[in-house]
Amino acid sequence: MKIYSVFDAEFAPYGRVMEGYDTRPLLEAMRRFPLPESGTAYEPSLFELESLGIYSALRNSAFGGMPVQIGMCYGRNTKLNCLEYHRDSELNAGCGDFVLLLARRDELDGGFGLDTSKVRAFRVPAGVLVEVYATTLHYAPCHVDAQEGFRVAVVLPRGTNGPAPAVKPLSAEDRLLRACNKWLVAHPESGEAAGGAFAGLRGANIDISGDI
């Protein structure tokens, strides 16, 4: 699979590189968290990250004053497994280089299915802050070095990825709601699908282990 850079023109429909933010203290704080023994872990909100000076800059400048949370996704991963979206953009920055597997929401069909051949891969250099648009499907980052794994900051509106609200289904999209502000489409081979997530991804469960 071809892996583009977030500095390539191909990234423009999915997100943008954000300049002017000093991510160095954020990276230093994330490095203090040990990686899980296997797989990935995710913490939606971490005091150690939200107590840094960059928090107010992200809240006030990047999100225009909205209440936000800074969490972290970390571990080792090379597979697609799922794609999710939020009603808002997500910001990411990593301690090392990492890869995002992305598609566009307008590529979902009427039944919220997607052929994985539409997924594109983008490498994000260490320390670079990127915005992933609300119109972009994404999920767990992929590492580029199995020994190093990945530690990626995840900045979202506060409450995102908390418990899903109890809703009376009003549309087909409601079956995708898996957490607060999180709609998810899983690959049939994924653990999420085995746990009841909507299995709408068709085709190969992309694995970039041979491409990094």
Side-chain angles (χ1 to χ4, degrees):
M1 183 177 197
K2 181 173 182 177
I3 300 178
Y4 297 93
S5 167
V6 291
F7 291 100
D8 291 337
E10 286 81 1
F11 185 57
Y14 305 93
R16 66 182 178 116
V17 174
M18 302 188 69
E19 298 178 346
Y21 296 88
D22 183 4
T23 62
R24 289 173 296 180
L26 183 61
L27 310 185
E28 183 179 340
M30 289 195 294
R31 289 191 185 99
R32 300 190 188 109
F33 289 83
L35 295 180
E37 291 186 8
S38 62
T40 63
Y42 172 65
E43 295 290 343
S45 175
L46 289 167
F47 172 80
E48 294 88 340
L49 307 184
E50 293 173 358
S51 61
L52 300 171
I54 195 173
Y55 177 82
S56 60
L58 294 171
R59 179 191 60 204
N60 295 331
S61 294
F63 280 88
M66 289 177 59
V68 298
Q69 63 194 29
I70 305 179
M72 182 170 64
C73 189
Y74 54 117
R76 296 176 179 84
N77 176 56
T78 59
K79 301 188 77 171
L80 176 64
N81 288 321
C82 299
L83 289 168
E84 68 178 8
Y85 60 90
H86 314 294
R87 291 289 189 247
D88 314 83
S89 290
E90 175 178 313
L91 307 186
N92 297 136
C95 291
D97 288 12
F98 63 96
V99 173
L100 292 173
L101 297 175
L102 307 176
R104 301 196 315 269
R105 276 186 61 189
D106 62 10
E107 293 174 320
L108 290 167
D109 62 33
F112 294 96
L114 180 85
D115 192 307
T116 60
S117 64
K118 298 182 182 295
V119 173
R120 299 291 178 264
F122 294 93
R123 185 168 180 148
V124 186
V128 170
L129 182 69
V130 294
E131 176 183 4
V132 177
Y133 296 146
T135 51
T136 297
L137 304 168
H138 59 280
Y139 202 50
C142 297
H143 66 253
V144 298
D145 183 326
Q147 268 197 319
E148 294 295 325
F150 68 86
R151 293 175 178 84
V152 174
V154 180
V155 189
L156 283 161
R158 186 159 294 282
T160 299
N161 287 317
V167 296
K168 179 180 179 180
L170 299 175
S171 69
E173 187 186 32
D174 287 329
R175 61 183 168 171
L176 277 59
L177 187 62
R178 297 291 290 178
C180 179
N181 193 26
K182 172 177 178 165
W183 291 262
L184 184 137
V185 181
H187 193 278
E189 297 175 0
S190 69
E192 289 85 347
F198 173 69
L201 298 183
R202 302 183 301 271
N205 188 12
I206 294 169
D207 188 334
I208 67 164
S209 58
D211 304 305
I212 52 178

Coordinates of all heavy atoms in Angstrom, one line a residue, residues 13-86:
P13 N -8.0 16.5 1.2 CA -9.4 16.2 1.5 C -9.6 15.6 2.9 O -10.8 15.6 3.3 CB -9.7 15.2 0.4 CG -8.7 15.3 -0.6 CD -7.4 15.7 0.1
Y14 N -8.6 15.2 3.6 CA -8.7 14.5 4.8 C -8.4 15.3 6.0 O -8.9 15.1 7.1 CB -7.8 13.3 4.8 CG -8.1 12.3 3.7 CD1 -7.3 12.4 2.5 CD2 -9.1 11.3 3.7 CE1 -7.5 11.6 1.4 CE2 -9.3 10.5 2.7 CZ -8.5 10.6 1.5 OH -8.8 9.8 0.5
G15 N -7.5 16.3 5.9 CA -7.1 17.1 7.0 C -6.0 18.1 6.6 O -5.8 18.4 5.4
R16 N -5.3 18.6 7.6 CA -4.3 19.6 7.4 C -3.3 19.6 8.5 O -3.5 19.2 9.6 CB -4.9 21.0 7.3 CG -5.5 21.6 8.6 CD -6.1 22.9 8.4 NE -6.7 23.4 9.7 CZ -6.3 24.5 10.3 NH1 -5.3 25.2 9.9 NH2 -6.9 24.8 11.5
V17 N -2.1 20.1 8.1 CA -1.0 20.3 9.1 C -1.2 21.6 9.8 O -1.5 22.6 9.2 CB 0.4 20.2 8.5 CG1 1.5 20.6 9.5 CG2 0.6 18.8 7.8
M18 N -1.2 21.6 11.1 CA -1.4 22.8 11.9 C 0.0 23.4 12.4 O 0.7 22.6 13.1 CB -2.3 22.6 13.1 CG -3.7 22.0 12.6 SD -4.9 21.9 14.0 CE -5.2 23.7 14.3
E19 N 0.2 24.6 12.1 CA 1.5 25.2 12.5 C 1.3 26.2 13.6 O 0.2 26.6 13.9 CB 2.1 26.0 11.3 CG 2.4 25.0 10.1 CD 2.9 25.8 8.9 OE1 2.8 27.0 8.9 OE2 3.5 25.1 8.0
G20 N 2.4 26.5 14.3 CA 2.4 27.5 15.4 C 2.2 26.9 16.8 O 2.2 27.7 17.8
Y21 N 2.1 25.6 16.9 CA 1.9 25.0 18.2 C 3.2 24.3 18.6 O 3.7 23.5 17.9 CB 0.7 24.0 18.2 CG -0.6 24.6 17.9 CD1 -1.0 24.8 16.6 CD2 -1.4 25.1 19.0 CE1 -2.3 25.4 16.3 CE2 -2.6 25.7 18.7 CZ -3.1 25.8 17.4 OH -4.3 26.4 17.1
D22 N 3.7 24.5 19.8 CA 4.9 23.9 20.4 C 4.4 22.6 21.0 O 3.9 22.6 22.2 CB 5.6 24.8 21.4 CG 6.9 24.2 21.9 OD1 7.2 23.1 21.4 OD2 7.5 24.8 22.8
T23 N 4.6 21.5 20.4 CA 4.2 20.2 20.9 C 5.2 19.5 21.7 O 5.0 18.4 22.3 CB 3.8 19.2 19.7 OG1 5.0 19.0 18.9 CG2 2.7 19.8 18.9
R24 N 6.4 20.1 21.9 CA 7.5 19.4 22.6 C 7.2 19.0 24.0 O 7.4 17.8 24.4 CB 8.8 20.2 22.5 CG 9.4 20.3 21.2 CD 10.5 21.3 21.1 NE 10.1 22.7 21.4 CZ 10.9 23.7 21.4 NH1 12.2 23.6 21.2 NH2 10.4 24.9 21.6
P25 N 6.6 19.8 24.8 CA 6.2 19.4 26.2 C 5.1 18.3 26.2 O 5.2 17.4 27.0 CB 5.6 20.6 26.8 CG 6.2 21.8 26.1 CD 6.3 21.3 24.7
L26 N 4.3 18.3 25.2 CA 3.3 17.2 25.1 C 3.9 15.9 24.8 O 3.6 14.9 25.4 CB 2.3 17.6 23.9 CG 1.1 16.7 23.7 CD1 0.2 16.6 24.9 CD2 0.3 17.2 22.5
L27 N 4.9 15.9 23.9 CA 5.6 14.7 23.5 C 6.4 14.1 24.7 O 6.4 12.9 25.0 CB 6.5 14.9 22.3 CG 6.0 15.6 21.1 CD1 7.0 15.6 20.0 CD2 4.7 14.9 20.6
E28 N 7.0 15.0 25.4 CA 7.8 14.6 26.6 C 6.9 14.0 27.7 O 7.2 12.9 28.2 CB 8.5 15.8 27.2 CG 9.4 15.5 28.4 CD 10.1 16.7 28.9 OE1 10.2 17.7 28.2 OE2 10.5 16.7 30.1
A29 N 5.7 14.5 27.9 CA 4.8 13.9 28.8 C 4.3 12.6 28.4 O 4.1 11.7 29.2 CB 3.6 14.9 29.1
M30 N 4.0 12.4 27.1 CA 3.5 11.1 26.6 C 4.5 10.0 26.7 O 4.1 8.9 26.9 CB 3.0 11.3 25.2 CG 1.7 12.1 25.0 SD 1.0 11.9 23.3 CE 2.2 12.7 22.3
R31 N 5.8 10.4 26.6 CA 6.8 9.4 26.6 C 6.9 8.7 28.0 O 7.5 7.6 28.2 CB 8.2 10.0 26.3 CG 8.3 10.3 24.8 CD 9.8 10.7 24.5 NE 9.8 11.1 23.1 CZ 9.9 12.4 22.7 NH1 9.9 13.4 23.6 NH2 10.0 12.7 21.4
R32 N 6.3 9.3 29.0 CA 6.4 8.7 30.4 C 5.4 7.6 30.6 O 5.5 6.9 31.6 CB 6.1 9.8 31.4 CG 7.1 11.0 31.4 CD 6.9 11.9 32.6 NE 7.7 13.1 32.4 CZ 7.2 14.3 32.2 NH1 5.9 14.5 32.1 NH2 8.0 15.4 32.1
F33 N 4.5 7.4 29.6 CA 3.5 6.3 29.7 C 4.1 5.1 29.0 O 4.4 5.1 27.9 CB 2.2 6.7 29.0 CG 1.4 7.8 29.8 CD1 1.7 9.1 29.6 CD2 0.4 7.4 30.6 CE1 1.0 10.1 30.3 CE2 -0.4 8.4 31.3 CZ 0.0 9.7 31.2
P34 N 4.2 4.0 29.8 CA 4.6 2.7 29.2 C 3.6 2.2 28.2 O 2.4 2.3 28.4 CB 4.8 1.8 30.4 CG 3.9 2.3 31.4 CD 3.8 3.8 31.2
L35 N 4.1 1.5 27.1 CA 3.2 0.9 26.2 C 2.5 -0.3 26.8 O 3.1 -1.0 27.6 CB 4.0 0.5 24.9 CG 4.6 1.6 24.1 CD1 5.3 1.0 22.9 CD2 3.5 2.6 23.6
P36 N 1.3 -0.6 26.3 CA 0.7 -1.9 26.8 C 1.5 -3.1 26.2 O 2.3 -2.9 25.2 CB -0.7 -1.8 26.1 CG -0.6 -0.9 25.0 CD 0.4 0.1 25.4
E37 N 1.4 -4.2 26.9 CA 2.2 -5.3 26.5 C 1.9 -5.8 25.1 O 2.7 -6.3 24.4 CB 2.0 -6.5 27.5 CG 2.6 -6.2 28.9 CD 2.6 -7.4 29.8 OE1 2.2 -8.5 29.3 OE2 2.9 -7.2 31.0
S38 N 0.6 -5.6 24.7 CA 0.2 -6.0 23.3 C -1.0 -5.1 22.9 O -1.7 -4.6 23.8 CB -0.2 -7.5 23.2 OG -1.3 -7.7 24.1
G39 N -1.1 -4.9 21.6 CA -2.3 -4.2 21.1 C -2.2 -2.7 21.4 O -1.1 -2.1 21.5
T40 N -3.3 -2.1 21.6 CA -3.4 -0.6 21.8 C -4.2 -0.3 23.0 O -5.0 -1.1 23.5 CB -4.0 0.1 20.6 OG1 -5.4 -0.3 20.4 CG2 -3.2 -0.2 19.3
A41 N -4.0 0.9 23.5 CA -4.8 1.4 24.6 C -5.2 2.8 24.3 O -4.5 3.5 23.5 CB -4.0 1.4 25.9
Y42 N -6.3 3.3 24.9 CA -6.8 4.7 24.6 C -7.3 5.3 25.9 O -8.1 4.6 26.6 CB -7.8 4.7 23.5 CG -8.5 6.0 23.4 CD1 -7.8 7.1 22.9 CD2 -9.8 6.2 23.7 CE1 -8.4 8.4 22.8 CE2 -10.4 7.5 23.5 CZ -9.7 8.5 23.1 OH -10.3 9.8 23.0
E43 N -6.9 6.5 26.2 CA -7.4 7.2 27.4 C -7.9 8.5 26.8 O -7.2 9.3 26.3 CB -6.3 7.5 28.4 CG -5.7 6.3 29.1 CD -6.7 5.6 30.0 OE1 -7.7 6.3 30.4 OE2 -6.5 4.4 30.4
P44 N -9.2 8.8 26.9 CA -9.8 10.0 26.3 C -9.3 11.3 27.0 O -9.2 12.3 26.3 CB -11.3 9.8 26.6 CG -11.5 8.4 26.8 CD -10.3 7.9 27.5
S45 N -9.0 11.3 28.3 CA -8.6 12.5 29.0 C -7.5 12.2 30.0 O -7.8 11.3 30.9 CB -9.9 13.1 29.6 OG -9.5 14.2 30.4
L46 N -6.4 12.9 29.9 CA -5.3 12.6 30.8 C -4.9 13.9 31.5 O -4.5 14.9 30.8 CB -4.1 12.0 30.1 CG -4.3 10.5 29.6 CD1 -3.2 10.1 28.7 CD2 -4.3 9.6 30.8
F47 N -4.9 14.0 32.8 CA -4.5 15.2 33.5 C -3.1 15.6 33.2 O -2.8 16.8 33.0 CB -4.6 14.9 35.1 CG -4.0 16.0 35.9 CD1 -4.7 17.2 36.1 CD2 -2.7 15.9 36.4 CE1 -4.2 18.2 36.9 CE2 -2.2 17.0 37.2 CZ -2.9 18.1 37.4
E48 N -2.2 14.6 33.0 CA -0.8 14.9 32.7 C -0.6 15.7 31.4 O 0.4 16.4 31.2 CB 0.0 13.6 32.6 CG 0.1 12.8 34.0 CD -1.0 11.9 34.2 OE1 -2.1 12.0 33.5 OE2 -0.9 11.0 35.0
L49 N -1.5 15.5 30.5 CA -1.5 16.2 29.2 C -2.3 17.5 29.3 O -1.9 18.5 28.7 CB -2.0 15.3 28.1 CG -1.3 13.9 28.0 CD1 -1.9 13.2 26.7 CD2 0.2 14.0 27.9
E50 N -3.4 17.5 30.0 CA -4.3 18.7 30.0 C -3.7 19.7 31.0 O -4.2 20.9 30.9 CB -5.7 18.2 30.4 CG -6.3 17.4 29.4 CD -7.7 16.8 29.8 OE1 -8.1 17.1 31.0 OE2 -8.3 16.1 29.0
S51 N -2.7 19.4 31.8 CA -2.1 20.4 32.7 C -1.0 21.2 32.0 O -0.5 22.1 32.6 CB -1.6 19.7 34.0 OG -0.6 18.8 33.6
L52 N -0.7 20.8 30.8 CA 0.4 21.5 30.0 C -0.1 22.8 29.4 O -1.3 23.0 29.2 CB 0.9 20.6 28.9 CG 1.4 19.2 29.4 CD1 1.7 18.4 28.2 CD2 2.7 19.5 30.2
G53 N 0.8 23.7 29.1 CA 0.4 25.0 28.6 C -0.3 24.9 27.2 O -1.1 25.8 26.9
I54 N 0.0 23.9 26.4 CA -0.6 23.7 25.1 C -2.1 23.5 25.2 O -2.8 23.8 24.2 CB 0.1 22.6 24.3 CG1 -0.3 22.7 22.8 CG2 -0.3 21.2 24.9 CD1 0.5 21.7 22.0
Y55 N -2.6 23.1 26.3 CA -4.0 22.8 26.5 C -4.8 24.1 26.2 O -5.8 24.0 25.4 CB -4.3 22.3 27.9 CG -5.8 22.1 28.1 CD1 -6.4 21.0 27.7 CD2 -6.6 23.1 28.7 CE1 -7.8 20.8 27.8 CE2 -8.0 22.9 28.9 CZ -8.6 21.7 28.5 OH -9.9 21.6 28.6
S56 N -4.5 25.2 26.8 CA -5.3 26.4 26.5 C -5.1 26.9 25.1 O -6.1 27.4 24.5 CB -4.8 27.5 27.5 OG -3.5 27.9 27.3
A57 N -3.9 26.7 24.5 CA -3.8 27.1 23.1 C -4.7 26.2 22.2 O -5.3 26.7 21.2 CB -2.3 26.9 22.7
L58 N -4.7 24.9 22.4 CA -5.6 24.1 21.6 C -7.1 24.4 21.8 O -7.9 24.4 20.9 CB -5.3 22.6 22.0 CG -3.9 22.1 21.6 CD1 -3.6 20.7 22.2 CD2 -3.7 22.1 20.1
R59 N -7.4 24.6 23.1 CA -8.8 24.9 23.4 C -9.2 26.3 22.7 O -10.3 26.4 22.1 CB -9.0 25.0 24.9 CG -10.5 25.4 25.3 CD -10.5 25.7 26.8 NE -9.6 26.8 27.1 CZ -9.1 27.1 28.3 NH1 -9.3 26.3 29.3 NH2 -8.3 28.1 28.5
N60 N -8.4 27.3 22.9 CA -8.8 28.6 22.5 C -8.6 28.9 21.0 O -9.4 29.5 20.4 CB -8.1 29.7 23.4 CG -8.6 29.6 24.8 OD1 -9.7 29.2 25.1 ND2 -7.7 30.0 25.7
S61 N -7.4 28.5 20.5 CA -7.1 28.7 19.1 C -7.6 27.7 18.2 O -8.4 27.9 17.2 CB -5.6 28.9 18.9 OG -5.1 30.0 19.6
A62 N -7.3 26.4 18.5 CA -7.7 25.3 17.5 C -9.2 25.0 17.6 O -9.8 24.7 16.5 CB -6.9 24.1 17.9
F63 N -9.8 25.1 18.7 CA -11.2 24.8 18.9 C -12.1 26.0 19.2 O -13.3 25.9 19.5 CB -11.4 23.7 19.9 CG -11.1 22.3 19.4 CD1 -9.9 21.8 19.5 CD2 -12.1 21.5 18.9 CE1 -9.6 20.5 19.1 CE2 -11.9 20.3 18.4 CZ -10.6 19.8 18.5
G64 N -11.5 27.2 19.1 CA -12.3 28.4 19.2 C -13.0 28.6 20.6 O -14.0 29.3 20.6
G65 N -12.4 28.1 21.6 CA -12.9 28.3 23.0 C -13.8 27.1 23.4 O -14.3 27.2 24.6
M66 N -14.0 26.1 22.6 CA -14.8 25.0 23.0 C -14.1 24.2 24.1 O -12.9 24.1 24.1 CB -15.1 24.0 21.9 CG -16.1 24.6 20.8 SD -16.2 23.4 19.5 CE -16.8 21.9 20.3
P67 N -14.8 23.6 25.1 CA -14.2 22.7 26.1 C -13.6 21.5 25.3 O -14.3 20.8 24.6 CB -15.3 22.3 27.0 CG -16.5 22.6 26.3 CD -16.3 23.7 25.3
V68 N -12.4 21.2 25.6 CA -11.7 20.0 24.9 C -11.1 19.1 25.9 O -10.9 19.4 27.1 CB -10.7 20.5 23.9 CG1 -11.3 21.4 22.8 CG2 -9.5 21.3 24.6
Q69 N -10.7 18.0 25.4 CA -9.9 17.0 26.2 C -8.7 16.6 25.4 O -8.7 16.5 24.2 CB -10.8 15.8 26.5 CG -11.2 15.0 25.3 CD -12.3 14.0 25.6 OE1 -13.1 14.2 26.5 NE2 -12.4 12.9 24.8
I70 N -7.6 16.3 26.2 CA -6.4 15.7 25.5 C -6.2 14.3 26.1 O -6.0 14.2 27.3 CB -5.2 16.6 25.7 CG1 -5.4 18.0 25.3 CG2 -4.0 15.9 25.0 CD1 -4.2 18.9 25.5
G71 N -6.3 13.3 25.3 CA -6.0 12.0 25.7 C -4.9 11.4 24.8 O -4.2 12.1 24.1
M72 N -4.8 10.1 24.9 CA -3.7 9.4 24.1 C -4.1 8.1 23.7 O -4.7 7.3 24.4 CB -2.4 9.4 25.0 CG -1.2 8.8 24.2 SD 0.3 8.9 25.1 CE 0.0 7.9 26.6
C73 N -3.8 7.7 22.4 CA -3.8 6.4 21.9 C -2.4 5.9 21.8 O -1.5 6.6 21.3 CB -4.5 6.3 20.5 SG -4.9 4.7 20.0
Y74 N -2.1 4.7 22.3 CA -0.7 4.2 22.3 C -0.7 2.7 22.3 O -1.6 2.0 22.6 CB 0.0 4.8 23.5 CG -0.6 4.5 24.9 CD1 0.0 3.7 25.9 CD2 -1.9 5.1 25.2 CE1 -0.6 3.5 27.1 CE2 -2.4 4.9 26.5 CZ -1.8 4.1 27.4 OH -2.4 3.9 28.6
G75 N 0.4 2.2 21.7 CA 0.6 0.7 21.6 C 1.3 0.4 20.3 O 2.2 1.1 19.8
R76 N 0.9 -0.8 19.8 CA 1.4 -1.2 18.5 C 0.2 -1.7 17.6 O -0.6 -2.4 18.1 CB 2.4 -2.4 18.7 CG 3.6 -2.0 19.5 CD 4.6 -3.2 19.8 NE 5.8 -2.7 20.5 CZ 5.8 -2.6 21.8 NH1 4.8 -2.8 22.6 NH2 7.0 -2.2 22.4
N77 N 0.3 -1.3 16.4 CA -0.8 -1.7 15.5 C -0.4 -1.4 14.0 O 0.4 -0.5 13.8 CB -2.1 -0.8 15.8 CG -3.2 -1.1 14.8 OD1 -3.6 -2.2 14.6 ND2 -3.6 0.0 14.1
T78 N -0.8 -2.3 13.1 CA -0.6 -2.1 11.7 C -1.8 -2.3 10.9 O -1.8 -2.3 9.7 CB 0.5 -3.1 11.2 OG1 0.1 -4.4 11.4 CG2 1.9 -2.8 11.9
K79 N -3.0 -2.6 11.5 CA -4.2 -3.0 10.8 C -5.3 -1.9 10.9 O -5.3 -1.1 11.8 CB -4.7 -4.3 11.3 CG -3.7 -5.4 11.2 CD -4.4 -6.8 11.6 CE -5.2 -7.3 10.5 NZ -5.7 -8.7 10.7
L80 N -6.2 -1.9 9.9 CA -7.3 -1.0 9.8 C -8.3 -1.3 10.9 O -8.7 -0.5 11.7 CB -7.9 -1.1 8.4 CG -9.2 -0.3 8.2 CD1 -8.9 1.2 8.2 CD2 -9.8 -0.6 6.8
N81 N -8.9 -2.5 10.8 CA -9.9 -3.0 11.8 C -11.2 -2.2 11.8 O -12.3 -2.9 11.7 CB -9.4 -3.1 13.2 CG -8.4 -4.1 13.4 OD1 -8.5 -5.2 12.8 ND2 -7.3 -3.9 14.1
C82 N -11.2 -0.9 11.9 CA -12.5 -0.1 11.9 C -12.2 1.2 11.4 O -11.0 1.7 11.2 CB -12.9 0.0 13.4 SG -13.3 -1.5 14.3
L83 N -13.3 2.0 11.1 CA -13.2 3.4 10.8 C -14.3 4.1 11.6 O -15.4 3.5 11.8 CB -13.4 3.7 9.3 CG -12.3 3.3 8.4 CD1 -12.7 3.3 7.0 CD2 -11.0 4.1 8.6
E84 N -14.0 5.2 12.2 CA -14.9 6.0 13.0 C -15.0 7.4 12.5 O -14.1 7.9 11.8 CB -14.6 5.9 14.5 CG -13.3 6.7 14.8 CD -13.0 6.7 16.3 OE1 -13.6 5.9 17.1 OE2 -12.0 7.4 16.7
Y85 N -16.0 8.1 13.0 CA -16.0 9.6 12.8 C -16.7 10.3 14.0 O -17.4 9.6 14.8 CB -16.7 9.9 11.5 CG -18.2 9.5 11.3 CD1 -19.2 10.3 11.7 CD2 -18.5 8.3 10.8 CE1 -20.5 9.9 11.6 CE2 -19.8 7.9 10.6 CZ -20.8 8.7 11.0 OH -22.1 8.3 10.9
H86 N -16.5 11.6 14.1 CA -17.1 12.4 15.1 C -17.8 13.6 14.4 O -17.6 13.8 13.2 CB -16.0 13.0 16.0 CG -15.0 11.9 16.5 ND1 -15.3 10.9 17.3 CD2 -13.7 11.8 16.3 CE1 -14.3 10.1 17.6 NE2 -13.2 10.7 16.9

